[in-house]
Amino acid sequence: MKQIRPWIKAGLMAIAVLFAILVGLIIYARSLPPMHQHCIKAAGSALRMYAADHGGIYPVHTNGFGDALMLLVVGEYDNGHTLVGVDDDGSLLRFASTNKTDVPEELCTRIYVQGLSESDNPEIAILFDRFSVRGGDHRRGIGPYLREVLMADGFMRNIGHDRWPAFASNQVELLVQFGLPRATAEDYYRPTLDPNAKR
């Protein structure tokens, strides 16, 4: 029986060690929470493309903002994935767009403010997370609880959970100045003000 040369033995050991490290890294990566799966910046691109095709106006629907978001899926501006928040796969929007059914607002994981256009006050939030999430979508599980917010001009902001009530109050005032009834403006933010609105 031939003996394996030492350099071959060392090479085989190195390959085995590298393989074990690779398997370990894959197992570790799969154990981490999913990160950056619902890009609110991409949702902003979908909204801007829709507006470009509709005289600068973002989508509006008489059945509520859930159905307005569905218009983006129907028009193939988005597949629904970027219009929803963490732990939501957008299937409700896709199902409703295919079957022409209503999208209940209380099931939407991102809240969309209807009636705005690209030229409106850039300080007004147009889309934001219903739930505060540690690290938001971009850094899921890392850092403080926050919400990702898309402004009317397409820029994104992160608002910490502790700063959210003041942000929401300011947004209500901006929407009232814009011309929305106070009750409507408050309805957009009411679900986010529950202290348990966290994921």
Side-chain angles (χ1 to χ4, degrees):
M1 182 174 200
K2 275 189 170 178
Q3 189 149 6
I4 299 176
R5 294 189 177 162
W7 62 271
I8 294 175
K9 195 185 276 187
L12 291 173
M13 290 284 284
I15 290 170
V17 167
L18 288 173
F19 182 75
I21 290 171
L22 179 63
V23 168
L25 288 173
I26 290 170
I27 291 170
Y28 174 72
R30 288 182 177 216
S31 71
L32 294 173
M35 295 179 76
H36 195 51
Q37 295 185 348
H38 308 282
C39 185
I40 203 163
K41 291 179 184 179
S45 295
L47 285 162
R48 284 192 302 281
M49 286 187 294
Y50 181 97
D53 291 343
H54 295 87
I57 307 297
Y58 293 129
V60 174
H61 200 287
T62 55
N63 286 347
F65 72 78
D67 290 70
L69 289 173
M70 181 186 60
L71 293 175
L72 294 168
V73 178
V74 169
E76 298 182 358
Y77 296 96
D78 192 273
N79 68 0
H81 202 80
T82 68
L83 305 173
V84 297
V86 170
D87 297 334
D88 186 345
D89 63 3
S91 58
L92 176 64
L93 290 173
R94 288 190 299 277
F95 177 84
S97 69
T98 302
N99 298 293
K100 298 180 178 24
T101 57
D102 182 45
V103 178
E105 292 180 349
E106 63 273 8
L107 298 180
C108 294
T109 51
R110 282 200 169 138
I111 296 173
Y112 169 66
V113 178
Q114 295 195 81
L116 298 169
S117 70
E118 291 181 293
S119 61
D120 288 323
N121 184 347
E123 291 299 309
I124 295 178
I126 189 168
L127 184 69
F128 51 89
D129 292 330
R130 178 181 294 265
F131 302 102
S132 184
V133 176
R134 188 178 295 281
D137 173 54
H138 281 76
R139 301 192 62 202
R140 179 80 190 274
I142 301 170
Y145 280 91
L146 58 87
R147 284 183 175 85
E148 293 184 350
V149 177
L150 181 71
M151 307 310 286
D153 62 1
F155 284 95
M156 176 196 150
R157 289 189 189 170
N158 290 320
I159 308 297
H161 187 76
D162 56 335
R163 294 186 353 232
W164 185 257
F167 177 83
S169 176
N170 182 57
Q171 286 296 311
V172 167
E173 295 308 318
L174 289 173
L175 290 173
V176 169
Q177 289 171 18
F178 173 73
L180 260 63
R182 181 170 295 277
T184 302
E186 289 174 346
D187 283 346
Y188 282 121
Y189 285 90
R190 186 170 289 110
T192 67
L193 296 174
D194 180 341
N196 296 318
K198 287 182 173 182
R199 286 203 166 161

